[in-house]
Amino acid sequence: MPSLPHHENPTPRHSLRNQILEDRPVNQDGFVQEWPEVGMVAMDSEFDPRPSIRIENGRVAEMDGRERADFDFLDQFIADHAIDVDAAERAMALGPGTVARMLVDPNVTRDEVLRTARGLTPAALLETVRRMNIVEIMMGMQKMRARRTPANQAHCTSARDNPLQVAMEAAEASLRGFSELETTLGVVRYAPLVAIALQVGGQVGRGGRLTQCALEEATELDLGMRGITAYAETISVYGTESVFVDGDDTPWSKAFLAAAYASRGIKMRFTSGTGSEVQMGNAEGRSMLYLEIRCILVTKGAGVQGLQNGSISCIGVPGAVPSGIRAVAAENMIASMLDLECASGNDQSFSHSPMRRTSRLMPQIMAGTDFVCSGYSATPNYDNMFAGSNVDAEDYDDWNAIQRDYQIDGGLQHVGEAEILAARSRAGHALQAVFAHLGLPPITDREIETAVYAHGSNDLLPRDVLEDLKGAQSVTDRGVTGLDLVKALHEGGFADVADHLLTVLRQRVSGDLLQTSAILDDNLEPLSAVNDANDYTGPGTGYRPSGERWERMKRLRHVTSAENPELEVS
Amino acid sequence: MATTTAPGIELREIGRAGHGTRPDEVVLALSPGFAGFFTRTITDIPHAQVVRQILAGIEEQGGQARVIRLHATADLAAVAHTAARLSGSGIGIGVLSRGTSMIHQKDLPRLSSLELFPQSPLMTPEVFRAIGRNAAQYAKGESPQPVPTLNDQMARPRWQAKAALLHLKECELLVKGAPATEVEPVIDDPA
């Protein structure tokens, strides 16, 4: 081989174009090589088990090459509670190629896929999606999503844990279309006040938004039982026994917690996602997606209606390896093909690149999922106490334009400023009334006025944090419940908000929010996979934005009038 | 006993790490790959700088520093807690190769700590110095203001996967059951 010409100057000269590319935001993202031996690989690893099943005496005797005697506790839980032994032999005999085609083929109904999927082992599910490219995965998602109508979820948080800000963000988010609102805290002791604020703000205007506060599990359950929150989401499951055990948990303890919520009619879902096990150094040499499939099956086996997945807080890990974002889309689709509600991620800061951020959304927003984001930051990201989301309050207009461009429903809509200011103001005054009724530190009119017009917590009047924390403690000590909030709202002159909250609370008596993928519709009636089942069977079928909804989606901040091009309509 | 090096620093292992007796002592425990397989933190702070800043911080407060290396674990809580348990004052600092750090106290549960610095990309030489200072103050029985922790929403996309890789690599260096060793650091860092 001829040697390369030797340059006298050892410092290489760079082109201007190279410098431009070097400085692009995408090059601030982290990318790493695969290392399958330790699980640093998205979904293509020779160390993953191969599909197999043997049923003896009505139970799984061998699964994915492992005898029952050698099962770890995840294998055991999945074999005994997630896999339908009556469906298993037929489903496994179809082979992954056939199942993959069933997912894509519009002539095969959702129900047919469900009947097959319930008999598949983790390795068989993995082999199935390994055959599918991203468009095929999106086609599968479009058909398999549980609820016909897609929806969205917002994060409403404050870097200062300011309850007033959270109430206003909740009211604005509700107006913009989010069906679920989630909060969490910087200072955990603030939780009761912030959860109350979220609950009150979410009932302003149309109301009926379901709220939750992400906390340590026992506190989260307590707030739910007292009716200060309406659902729970941050119940984490993991794909290896060692990570589960590190968290002092087992699939059975998580199933017990799920039952506690169900006993009170409270909606809940589990959380999992690719990358968590390898991040913690305990992937046991399996690919990220294989381990995530075990999480999805544990969720199924625990009898929980839904799952938040899509890597979630570990998105930087699959995001850094080849085919990682395809694996993340696949994990969403697998949750759906196992008939679980899927809150599909897009909830954590993912990339410095605006193009990559958008591309990350596409599989979920285009195919439609039960919740496209399992939190869209309703605040600017600096206020996002979930460590930043992939989309935030500064992206609303972009989101609405994308919905309009493709006629796809990501759950949001453009709302004029006057309407937003009115809702924020009303939420502020409603919370002021609730705080006054409960004897909590007062909220002043000046605080409300400032917060109505604010963008984020940097623009707010600071609160007396120590007094607020005492108030928060008293809420816990006195055992304040959702009904106390209803009374406070009613007596404070907010009868409509009180009525909405009471309607939300009454759902736990009927148990309708325990149905798969339940939200409340415009009339505060439950909309779930039971009364709004996904009926996609090919072109022209399934959910398509139409009628009033599509007209609403056509509106943007600036649209030139066709009638008089010198005017704008919005 | 091995000697490992990284630019500007040499770590000479001189024997099995024992319990200290000085009441003003702070033990600094380093992870298996520190200044050996690895030479700098996740954001390229040289390991020589890290050790120098922490020791200088301890010295500033009139504390006595001792350095050990762990071989059997790369778990930050275990590293820092071992340092605390071997420390004459009961105060120890644990540092992983990528820069993640913790100040620990021997009577606290292992998974608790006095101060935790979980985001390795946000560590700076100043923060390492402040960690040394605070640890020495705890050793004297004082209650210093915790070192302010930083936050960056974009740390995840930039660093999360590399942090995982660094952790996995460091775990490969573990020697099961090997006791902690006493280390004599020789620092030749102009900074």
Side-chain angles (χ1 to χ4, degrees):
Chain A
M1 209 172 98
S3 63
L4 293 165
H6 179 74
H7 292 280
E8 281 176 28
N9 184 352
T11 314
R13 183 176 169 192
H14 296 295
S15 73
L16 291 172
R17 176 164 308 152
N18 187 74
Q19 196 52 51
I20 296 281
L21 289 172
E22 185 62 44
D23 293 344
R24 293 276 288 191
V26 70
N27 287 315
Q28 292 175 50
D29 290 353
F31 298 101
V32 303
Q33 284 187 317
E34 293 159 300
W35 185 6
E37 287 83 351
V38 296
M40 184 61 89
V41 60
M43 57 193 288
D44 289 302
S45 168
E46 60 178 290
F47 302 101
D48 282 335
R50 298 286 167 251
S52 74
I53 199 153
R54 202 177 73 246
I55 310 286
E56 281 174 11
N57 306 320
R59 68 175 200 167
V60 178
E62 180 232 304
M63 181 173 75
D64 295 344
R66 202 180 260 188
E67 292 294 324
R68 176 170 278 269
D70 303 323
F71 280 0
D72 64 16
F73 68 35
L74 284 135
D75 292 323
Q76 189 191 333
F77 192 83
I78 290 166
D80 291 346
H81 302 291
I83 291 177
D84 180 350
V85 288
D86 296 327
E89 279 168 339
R90 187 192 60 87
M92 293 291 285
L94 289 173
T98 304
V99 180
R101 294 182 75 86
M102 289 169 69
L103 282 159
V104 175
D105 182 352
N107 299 307
V108 178
T109 64
R110 179 172 192 271
D111 280 349
E112 281 178 80
V113 178
L114 292 181
R115 279 198 294 275
T116 299
R118 69 167 68 115
L120 297 176
T121 64
L125 286 161
L126 177 66
E127 282 301 321
T128 301
V129 294
R130 280 180 66 190
R131 281 156 209 260
M132 301 171 75
N133 67 25
I134 185 61
V135 177
E136 290 156 354
I137 289 168
M138 286 162 72
M139 287 177 69
M141 187 50 138
Q142 168 167 257
K143 177 162 80 183
M144 298 313 298
R145 170 180 85 239
R147 193 190 328 104
R148 185 175 190 270
T149 313
N152 213 337
Q153 182 198 105
H155 286 160
C156 301
T157 58
S158 162
R160 296 188 195 170
D161 299 316
N162 186 318
L164 185 60
Q165 181 186 7
V166 171
M168 291 193 188
E169 299 298 9
E172 178 172 339
S174 169
L175 207 54
R176 288 184 180 277
F178 293 100
S179 299
E180 285 187 349
L181 313 173
E182 178 185 24
T183 194
T184 194
L185 287 305
V187 178
V188 174
R189 285 176 296 156
Y190 240 122
L193 297 195
V194 172
I196 286 174
L198 186 73
Q199 182 70 292
V200 169
Q203 308 314 325
V204 168
R206 193 205 82 163
R209 304 315 189 179
L210 305 181
T211 67
Q212 86 120 6
C213 183
L215 291 167
E216 171 275 320
E217 284 174 352
T219 318
E220 196 168 309
L221 176 63
D222 181 57
L223 283 177
M225 285 193 166
R226 289 201 277 128
I228 291 180
T229 54
Y231 76 99
E233 169 174 85
T234 38
I235 292 93
S236 301
V237 287
Y238 300 100
T240 63
E241 196 173 288
S242 38
V243 177
F244 246 121
V245 171
D246 270 357
D248 286 337
D249 257 313
T250 69
W252 291 269
S253 67
K254 294 292 184 181
F256 184 79
L257 181 56
Y261 280 101
S263 73
R264 303 298 169 100
I266 304 169
K267 172 175 180 168
M268 73 92 75
R269 67 174 72 93
F270 279 174
T271 289
S272 61
T274 44
S276 60
E277 298 84 4
V278 66
Q279 169 86 16
M280 292 187 246
N282 278 317
E284 297 174 2
R286 308 301 197 201
S287 74
M288 298 179 206
L289 186 56
Y290 174 76
L291 296 181
E292 173 54 20
I293 290 170
R294 286 171 36 118
C295 295
I296 300 169
L297 285 164
V298 164
T299 306
K300 183 79 186 158
V304 173
Q305 66 85 28
L307 179 67
Q308 163 182 237
N309 76 356
S311 193
I312 314 301
S313 53
C314 290
I315 188 68
V317 180
V321 295
S323 197
I325 299 306
R326 169 173 161 248
V328 170
E331 70 182 84
N332 293 149
M333 191 206 66
I334 294 168
S336 294
M337 80 185 271
L338 290 166
D339 208 12
L340 296 167
E341 170 196 58
C342 177
S344 55
N346 288 308
D347 62 334
Q348 299 270 291
S349 53
F350 160 68
S351 173
H352 295 78
S353 152
M355 282 179 78
R356 262 191 111 210
R357 283 203 299 126
T358 311
S359 135
R360 163 78 187 85
L361 288 171
M362 286 299 132
Q364 294 78 34
I365 192 175
M366 287 203 161
T369 70
D370 298 300
F371 298 90
V372 176
C373 299
S374 48
Y376 181 123
S377 184
T379 60
N381 254 342
Y382 78 78
D383 268 321
N384 189 293
M385 300 313 282
F386 292 96
S389 178
N390 187 45
V391 266
D392 76 358
E394 296 172 15
D395 298 315
Y396 278 137
D397 292 355
D398 299 69
W399 184 283
N400 291 330
I402 291 170
Q403 289 190 151
R404 184 180 187 268
D405 288 341
Y406 288 109
Q407 201 170 351
I408 49 176
D409 197 337
L412 304 190
Q413 60 209 11
H414 174 68
V415 184
E417 190 186 12
E419 219 181 320
I420 284 172
L421 295 179
R424 291 179 69 96
S425 172
R426 190 154 167 79
H429 285 105
L431 190 68
Q432 182 184 46
V434 169
F435 272 36
H437 184 92
L438 294 176
L440 297 170
I443 294 171
T444 65
D445 287 344
R446 224 179 115 237
E447 274 183 273
I448 294 176
E449 172 82 4
T450 308
V452 165
Y453 293 93
H455 179 42
S457 61
N458 288 345
D459 314 320
L460 302 180
L461 297 177
R463 288 193 52 85
D464 185 335
V465 173
L466 290 179
E467 282 306 304
D468 269 357
L469 291 177
K470 278 188 217 159
Q473 186 58 46
S474 83
V475 166
T476 306
D477 294 343
R478 286 182 283 165
V480 171
T481 67
L483 277 181
D484 294 323
L485 304 183
V486 173
K487 281 184 220 157
L489 286 163
H490 193 83
E491 286 170 24
F494 294 87
D496 57 330
V497 186
D499 191 46
H500 294 158
L501 179 52
L502 188 59
T503 306
V504 170
L505 292 172
R506 282 166 60 189
Q507 295 302 325
R508 61 184 65 198
V509 181
S510 66
D512 282 343
L513 294 181
L514 298 181
Q515 303 291 0
T516 299
S517 208
I519 53 174
L520 294 179
D521 70 9
D522 286 348
N523 305 311
L524 275 62
E525 301 281 346
L527 189 73
S528 72
V530 172
N531 61 353
D532 185 41
N534 186 4
D535 57 357
Y536 179 84
T537 53
T541 68
Y543 177 83
R544 279 147 214 264
S546 59
E548 236 177 86
R549 173 63 184 151
W550 174 226
E551 291 310 313
R552 192 81 175 82
M553 286 168 58
K554 289 179 183 173
R555 290 160 59 182
L556 297 177
R557 187 176 295 273
H558 299 288
V559 178
T560 302
S561 162
E563 205 171 297
N564 179 359
E566 291 186 343
L567 291 181
E568 280 185 347
V569 290
S570 70
Chain B
M1 290 290 135
T3 294
T4 66
T5 59
I9 188 169
E10 199 174 283
L11 296 179
R12 295 181 190 152
E13 294 185 28
I14 52 174
R16 188 175 176 147
H19 283 87
T21 50
R22 298 195 51 143
D24 57 351
E25 178 181 72
V26 175
V27 170
L28 167 61
L30 305 172
S31 62
F34 196 97
F37 182 86
F38 296 108
T39 62
R40 44 190 204 255
T41 70
I42 192 166
T43 52
D44 294 337
I45 303 171
H47 282 169
Q49 264 280 340
V50 173
V51 174
R52 186 181 169 278
Q53 292 295 345
I54 292 176
L55 296 186
I58 295 170
E59 200 179 310
E60 240 176 66
Q61 292 294 325
Q64 286 291 319
R66 188 155 64 92
V67 183
I68 64 172
R69 185 201 292 284
L70 295 222
H71 300 274
T73 180
D75 175 285
L76 179 62
V79 171
H81 202 233
T82 304
R85 282 188 291 108
L86 294 178
S87 165
S89 69
I91 300 296
I93 301 170
V95 181
L96 304 184
S97 296
R98 63 183 180 277
T100 324
S101 304
M102 183 185 269
I103 307 176
H104 221 318
Q105 203 269 336
K106 72 174 167 49
D107 297 324
L108 288 172
R110 191 167 58 87
L111 289 179
S112 182
S113 70
L114 288 172
E115 294 186 46
L116 166 65
F117 304 87
Q119 294 202 49
S120 55
L122 304 180
M123 300 300 281
T124 62
E126 294 71 38
V127 172
F128 285 118
R129 197 176 189 103
I131 288 173
R133 262 197 310 264
N134 270 19
Q137 285 176 270
Y138 289 120
K140 288 191 281 186
E142 296 170 9
S143 304
Q145 281 289 321
V147 180
T149 49
L150 306 165
N151 192 18
D152 173 13
Q153 300 134 30
M154 295 319 273
R156 169 175 31 233
R158 177 73 186 92
W159 299 111
Q160 189 173 32
K162 185 172 179 188
L165 269 188
L166 292 173
H167 181 61
L168 293 164
K169 267 294 171 213
E170 188 134 54
C171 286
E172 283 204 324
L173 305 171
L174 299 182
V175 182
K176 207 172 178 184
T181 46
E182 196 79 28
V183 168
E184 208 176 80
V186 183
I187 303 172
D188 173 29
D189 177 38

